[in-house]
Amino acid sequence: MRHHLLIRSQVTKEIIEGAVSRGRASRNLCTAPARRSNNTHNISQSRVFPPRQKNQLHQHARLASTRSQKRGSDLSPNPSIPSALEDEVLSRARAVLQSSTVPDIAEVEELLQACEAFARLVSEEIKSFRQNTTTEPTPASNLLSLEEIEDDSKARDRKSVPSTVPGKNAAAQFISSIAYKIITDPKVYITPKLLSTYVNIQSLLGRPESLPEVFHLYASKPIPKPKTNPLKFSIPNPNKPTAHIPLSVAETALNAAIKTKDLPLCFDIINNSVCARAFRYTKFLRRALVPVSGAVVAPFAVYKLASELSVYLSNMDAAVATDVLFAGILAYVGFTATIGVVAVTTSNDQMDRVTWATGTPLRERWMREEERMLIDRVAGAWGFQQRSRRGEEEGPDWEALREWIGMRGMILDRTELMDGME
């Protein structure tokens, strides 16, 4: 990181001065990340797999060999990218991608961290450019903003900041493409740290289109085995707890998708993160396993306690005293625990616009609360911010959002919970 700070001023100057004149010529070189190739060749396996899993392993091994042959042409120098960025990222990316063996995880993490540092630098430069080009509001413009404007295109031209920054879009596309090629390379094993860094890179650059695909790869991408030639892969279980997407990473990805105003992308991010089985299994193990285990052990512990207390009761038989104490203590523990479970699963103070439909089981409400929370955030971003205007939204996107929410057992803007409808 110290090295990144030393070359910060040089990179900033070259991004502003050098990339402007050559940005157009490099657009064809910085194309969007392409999907995986379908070229194939055979690979030896370390154990016997079903035919379907064998095909997956064969295809992944073919991708590894095919991509290694094409890295030289894919990562050609970009004339719109500063030399410092090219020397720092491009050369290290070539070393990782052209290697025929499994790269070291530490090296890949350092490479993505370098990309994140440059992505943060480009993002800051774009923000400063927009702040410098923003016109200060005048009393006349404030009055005009209160009127209804029919021509939306003219309103955007007058009020908004230019969406394209000369030269910096090419640099952002270059960094995004390098990070995508690294994370999707068959030889690279995606760790939680790599996933978090990649999501931060694409969020800073405002290019979250590849995040749903990377989320899917994180859970189902074949794992390369080190020190094997030719490479061998093992098929992971996408439903195991270690394959879950952390909630903080999913929130970062969703916020980036909301900024781009891409509703289908928001749906895909939610479906591939908090809706996955791995996420729900992890939540159960971390938050419900201890209470459930306590509920299973509670009767035995209560009976042991009742048998010990019955010794101190001299006005009735020991067996009868044990039964009475066991029933009383167990009823108290059971009723108290039931009230606590109902209070936790029926709480709705955190809900804004999206609530559960009537009849949804309490266990499902608790298990899918993160899903409802993210959907609620999407609904709040697409609807009016003023509470007094809620319910007036219309348009194809809003109707699609309402229908999608209804299909998931939720209700958007429940009438009895809106202001003035109690």
Side-chain angles (χ1 to χ4, degrees), residues 211-212 215 245 247 249-251 253-255 257-258 262-277 279-280 354 368-379 382 401 404-405 408 410:
L211 295 182
F215 284 172
I245 305 296
L247 181 60
V249 175
E251 290 179 340
L254 184 63
N255 292 336
I258 290 176
D262 192 340
L263 188 60
L265 179 61
C266 295
F267 293 166
D268 292 340
I269 290 176
I270 294 175
N271 287 331
N272 287 279
S273 56
V274 295
C275 293
R277 288 186 178 180
F279 184 87
R280 298 178 182 177
V354 179
R368 298 174 56 195
E369 174 57 28
E370 288 77 11
E371 175 186 352
R372 188 214 59 79
M373 178 186 67
L374 296 186
I375 295 176
D376 202 348
R377 186 175 302 178
V378 174
W382 253 259
L401 178 61
W404 186 73
I405 291 175
R408 310 187 79 83
M410 307 175 195

Side-chain angles (χ1 to χ4, degrees), residues 165-193:
V165 182
K168 296 183 179 64
N169 286 335
Q173 176 62 32
F174 178 80
I175 299 172
S176 175
S177 178
I178 289 294
Y180 177 83
K181 291 173 183 177
I182 293 172
I183 204 74
T184 58
D185 188 83
K187 304 186 300 296
V188 175
Y189 172 69
I190 306 178
T191 62
K193 187 175 181 179

